[in-house]
Amino acid sequence: MTEVSVGDEIPSWGMPRVERSRMRTMAAILRDPNPVHWDAKLVSTLPLGVGERTINQGPLGLSYMINMLHAWAGPTCVKRIFMTFPKIVLSEDAVTAKGVVTEIGPEGNVTCDIWLEREGVRLLEGNATIVFPEQG
Amino acid sequence: MDIPSEESVKKVIGHQFPGGEYLIAHWENFLLTECTGAQALPDGMAHPVALFHVPFLGANTSISEMFELGQASSEFSIGIESYEWEFYKPLMEEELYQISGSILEVERIVDEDGLFDRIKFQFDIRQDRQDIARSTITWHYNRGRYDRS
């Protein structure tokens, strides 16, 4: 297994610009009728104070953290992921997925705190259990 | 809009979705993965973010029906509390999965932000009786401000 210690920082993964076009494609795949993901004018009428922007789907924000974990530990690494959504991610945002190792468990399980931030503010927060692939 | 009674909302505890099968097509995984900003995964693996929509679509329900079951007043009244995804094996493109799902819990909560019902859904993905993945979705159905007096 790759040498990992409690307190290690996971290399961050950046989404330099959250695109509206990707939200529209995602809405179609999910069959998600919620217009907050594709109607910026409607979003501007809601009491959010975000102007004419669209709101990223929760799973897309989560996916940026999965991409970070894959880049670090490989595409089969994620065994469990738990995510909360204290703040929204908006179109045109630049966001960064980050994480830190909190526990090394039996059988090579590595537990990490993971989060997504915009200008230092945490938008999504959770944790994940991953396993590094066996090397042979 | 009138606030639905706690009793009427709790009637959905134990609700079983019809269940069914789902196959993640290559085109679907390609587009899904592109949405995340990642490159395609190797060997036909589906991006794990598929564990959001595959369970409820495969269980023959939809986001709209999940809103309706909780008596949401509108799409804007839903908040996400948490998603928990467990992977026992990677999800793969072009493989048929069997999916079941139900409503596990309903809890009415009053806090400083108002009144809401917290509803927990759980979906299981299997293939030939082998557990593949589990998705647990917890949403808040916001009912607006609440006068405690």
Side-chain angles (χ1 to χ4, degrees):
Chain A
M1 192 186 105
T2 303
E3 203 61 43
V4 175
S5 304
V6 171
D8 283 357
E9 291 185 7
I10 302 169
S12 63
W13 190 94
M15 171 56 75
R17 181 182 164 94
V18 175
E19 296 289 351
R20 298 180 189 204
S21 59
R22 286 174 163 158
M23 293 185 209
R24 288 195 289 270
T25 302
M26 194 69 175
I29 293 171
L30 304 184
R31 284 75 159 173
D32 184 350
N34 195 333
V36 300
H37 304 307
W38 39 266
D39 188 343
K41 284 195 188 308
L42 180 141
V43 172
S44 73
T45 68
L46 299 175
L48 298 171
V50 299
E52 287 196 13
R53 300 168 79 180
T54 51
I55 299 174
N56 207 27
Q57 286 92 347
L60 270 186
L62 201 168
S63 76
Y64 308 149
M65 283 167 276
I66 292 173
N67 293 345
M68 168 185 72
L69 295 170
H70 282 177
W72 183 50
T76 61
C77 70
V78 178
K79 302 304 174 191
R80 176 189 164 277
I81 195 160
F82 175 81
M83 191 55 49
T84 64
F85 299 80
K87 297 186 188 302
I88 55 176
V89 178
L90 294 163
S91 60
E92 292 80 61
D93 273 351
V95 292
T96 306
K98 295 186 175 181
V100 62
V101 175
T102 57
E103 187 180 345
I104 312 289
E107 299 175 356
N109 287 350
V110 177
T111 305
C112 318
D113 283 346
I114 55 175
W115 63 94
L116 187 72
E117 66 178 45
R118 177 184 58 219
E119 297 174 347
V121 176
R122 291 190 184 195
L123 308 175
L124 278 59
E125 293 181 308
N127 54 70
T129 302
I130 68 159
V131 174
F132 280 83
E134 290 181 16
Q135 295 172 340
Chain B
M1 182 181 163
D2 291 339
I3 297 172
S5 71
E6 183 174 356
E7 182 185 26
S8 72
V9 179
K10 286 189 169 178
K11 276 184 180 169
V12 299
I13 296 173
H15 174 83
Q16 296 277 338
F17 295 107
E21 296 183 323
Y22 198 95
L23 182 147
I24 306 167
H26 171 71
W27 66 265
E28 179 181 0
N29 187 43
F30 183 96
L31 293 175
L32 188 70
T33 304
E34 199 281 332
C35 286
T36 75
Q39 300 293 313
L41 298 176
D43 306 323
M45 286 176 55
H47 195 286
V49 75
L51 196 48
F52 179 65
H53 75 289
V54 166
F56 62 76
L57 293 180
N60 272 303
T61 184
S62 63
I63 290 174
S64 296
E65 186 187 36
M66 292 160 74
F67 286 179
E68 288 166 15
L69 283 166
Q71 302 182 55
S73 57
S74 77
E75 295 99 334
F76 316 122
S77 65
I78 303 293
I80 307 170
E81 177 178 301
S82 65
Y83 294 145
E84 181 171 16
W85 296 347
E86 297 164 84
F87 299 90
Y88 314 121
K89 288 187 72 177
L91 294 173
M92 306 297 292
E93 294 179 355
E94 307 294 346
E95 292 196 11
L96 194 61
Y97 295 111
Q98 294 80 46
I99 297 161
S100 60
S102 64
I103 297 178
L104 283 190
E105 297 174 15
V106 178
E107 183 181 11
R108 175 150 289 187
I109 294 171
V110 181
D111 67 11
E112 62 275 12
D113 295 323
L115 185 151
F116 63 92
D117 291 310
R118 177 179 179 273
I119 302 186
K120 181 180 284 191
F121 305 85
Q122 191 165 82
F123 299 91
D124 286 303
I125 299 185
R126 296 186 182 88
Q127 188 177 48
D128 301 330
R129 299 183 181 177
Q130 184 177 19
D131 292 333
I132 302 295
R134 168 173 281 181
S135 167
T136 306
I137 294 172
T138 306
W139 283 343
H140 290 180
Y141 292 67
N142 294 302
R143 312 298 187 191
R145 301 298 304 177
Y146 182 72
D147 184 358
R148 295 179 195 230
S149 61

